[in-house]
Amino acid sequence: MSAAATAHPREAGGPYCDQCGEPAAAPSHPRCAARRELEPPRFCPTCARRMVVQVDPVGWSARCSRHGEISA
């Protein structure tokens, strides 16, 4: 099996909205923009996989199983 056959279908399609997981170029993301001001990302912007998010009093960290961790 080739690498392309086993890759996640969204792997090559990014970028994606980090709040809803839909393509970032899709119209109508005002709700996502409002959520982004207060909440950490929930979906990886590269592959749209759900991320593991940990919130603490001074910030947050989010980890994608394929693309690693981001934090603020």
Side-chain angles (χ1 to χ4, degrees):
M1 218 179 232
S2 69
T6 60
H8 191 273
R10 291 191 169 193
E11 200 69 42
Y16 295 96
C17 176
D18 60 0
Q19 294 297 316
C20 69
E22 294 297 318
S28 183
H29 281 276
R31 182 170 179 236
C32 296
R35 285 180 59 192
R36 193 172 288 116
E37 293 179 19
L38 300 173
E39 295 199 22
R42 302 295 176 179
F43 292 88
C44 177
T46 304
C47 65
R49 283 182 174 84
R50 188 88 170 155
M51 295 196 295
V52 177
V53 178
Q54 183 171 359
V55 178
D56 59 42
V58 295
W60 54 264
S61 66
R63 187 179 74 248
C64 173
S65 62
R66 302 280 174 151
H67 299 103
E69 186 171 314
I70 55 174
S71 61

